[in-house]
Amino acid sequence: MYKIVFMRHGESTWNLENRFTGWTDVDLTEKGVNEARTAGRVLREAGFRFDVAYTSVLKRAIRTLWLALDEMDQMYLPIKNDWRLNERHYGALQGLDKAETAAKFGDEQVLVWRRSYDTPPPALEASDDRVSFGDPRYAGLDQAQIPLTECLKDTVARVMPAWNDEIAPAIRAGKNILISAHGNSLRAIIKMLDNISDTDIVGLNIPNGQPLVYELDENLKPIRHYYLGDQEAINAAMAAVANQGKAK
Ligand code: DG2
């Protein structure tokens, strides 16, 4: 049996402000720093040790990983930064307040933009300042690989090659892996792993800074999964994420 641990970053400044973030590179809040450290402590106390860690090229996930590894006294671990683990690109919604957007367009529409499998939010214009063309961290990519918006289906399409070509072979080689990523890049991986339907994936919300353990069989099919930590707090955090897209 294999085990892998997933973790959404701690609270970011734009999570706190309830703004659509996507590929915007915002940092952690103080609460987010504490969540990341607590996640590391929880993992250490549960006896987890890792051989390699994967994260995105966005600092909220990277810093969460650093802080958790610091708490685990495993800062020496190799870290693989992979743009394919980035958050889903939120298109022209990036920077907007989620509740204000719901007040303007309706809760239903915002739920479709946040959680539907194949309806992307409105795209950025290529001339928009928020577009990631020219950002040195994406220098190795073709311009066509840099999104102007994404639905979850698009995120699955970019995350899965990272899973199939890098992460799955490392699991099969017996490596203990920690992945620090984002609400929707993790939903993409979990959808594929658990074979969740396009309809049911709408109900999956990932809380900040809570280690999520997946036990996998020899074919990397999930046997069971569970969050480490206080289940009541985790359920409340998941419900809070679901409610972020509702008008006040
Ligand atoms: C959030 C997820 O991404 O937002 O892009 O706003 O995980 O990097 O904070 P993260 C964003 P929702 O899809 O839950 O609205």
Side-chain angles (χ1 to χ4, degrees):
M1 186 190 72
Y2 302 111
K3 263 188 200 175
I4 182 163
V5 178
F6 301 109
M7 186 170 64
R8 181 180 174 198
H9 59 81
E11 181 190 71
S12 74
T13 54
W14 280 19
N15 292 150
L16 176 64
E17 292 169 23
N18 204 24
R19 293 162 82 177
F20 291 101
T21 316
W23 280 34
T24 316
D25 196 14
V26 296
D27 212 336
L28 299 180
T29 62
E30 209 177 307
K31 179 179 171 194
V33 167
N34 288 332
E35 287 171 336
R37 288 204 175 277
T38 303
R41 265 197 306 281
V42 165
L43 283 164
R44 188 189 62 213
E45 283 161 13
F48 281 83
R49 307 297 293 163
F50 297 103
D51 301 306
V52 58
Y54 290 81
T55 188
S56 68
V57 294
L58 297 170
K59 69 177 76 156
R60 57 195 186 276
I62 298 169
R63 197 179 303 286
T64 296
L65 179 60
W66 289 353
L67 292 165
L69 291 180
D70 189 11
E71 287 296 323
M72 300 188 73
D73 199 19
Q74 283 217 281
M75 291 196 81
Y76 60 85
L77 277 198
I79 295 176
K80 307 209 172 169
N81 296 91
D82 194 325
W83 70 277
R84 296 171 297 184
L85 294 175
N86 271 15
E87 181 52 306
R88 174 163 72 98
H89 197 289
Y90 249 121
L93 299 182
Q94 287 189 178
L96 301 185
D97 183 292
K98 294 179 190 181
E100 281 173 20
T101 306
K104 190 164 168 193
F105 295 97
D107 288 1
E108 286 282 302
Q109 178 61 70
V110 168
L111 183 65
V112 168
W113 285 332
R114 290 182 77 213
R115 291 293 176 263
S116 74
Y117 185 54
D118 50 16
T119 306
L124 288 175
E125 299 284 340
S127 58
D128 195 294
D129 285 348
R130 294 169 289 174
V131 172
S132 301
F133 303 156
D135 184 326
R137 80 192 88 187
Y138 306 114
L141 304 185
D142 290 339
Q143 194 159 300
Q145 290 176 285
I146 298 178
L148 299 170
T149 188
E150 285 184 318
C151 58
L152 190 64
K153 190 176 180 184
D154 300 321
T155 311
V156 168
R158 71 162 150 87
V159 169
M160 288 330 297
W163 178 269
N164 291 327
D165 302 343
E166 305 274 340
I167 301 167
I171 300 172
R172 287 203 176 89
K175 304 279 186 216
N176 291 312
I177 295 176
L178 174 61
I179 297 188
S180 174
H182 304 264
N184 295 296
S185 53
L186 292 174
R187 290 175 70 242
I189 295 176
I190 289 167
K191 182 181 192 301
M192 171 281 308
L193 273 182
D194 277 331
N195 206 9
I196 299 174
S197 72
D198 299 359
T199 318
D200 288 348
I201 194 64
V202 174
L204 180 69
N205 289 288
I206 313 277
N208 292 98
Q210 306 288 347
L212 172 59
V213 182
Y214 263 75
E215 296 179 357
L216 308 172
D217 71 12
E218 69 277 10
N219 298 313
L220 305 192
K221 294 286 161 235
I223 302 165
R224 65 176 190 134
H225 65 264
Y226 52 93
Y227 280 99
L228 295 177
D230 176 42
Q231 290 309 308
E232 231 169 86
I234 289 162
N235 290 340
M238 289 194 288
V241 173
N243 285 328
Q244 283 162 356
K246 295 185 181 157
K248 288 192 179 125

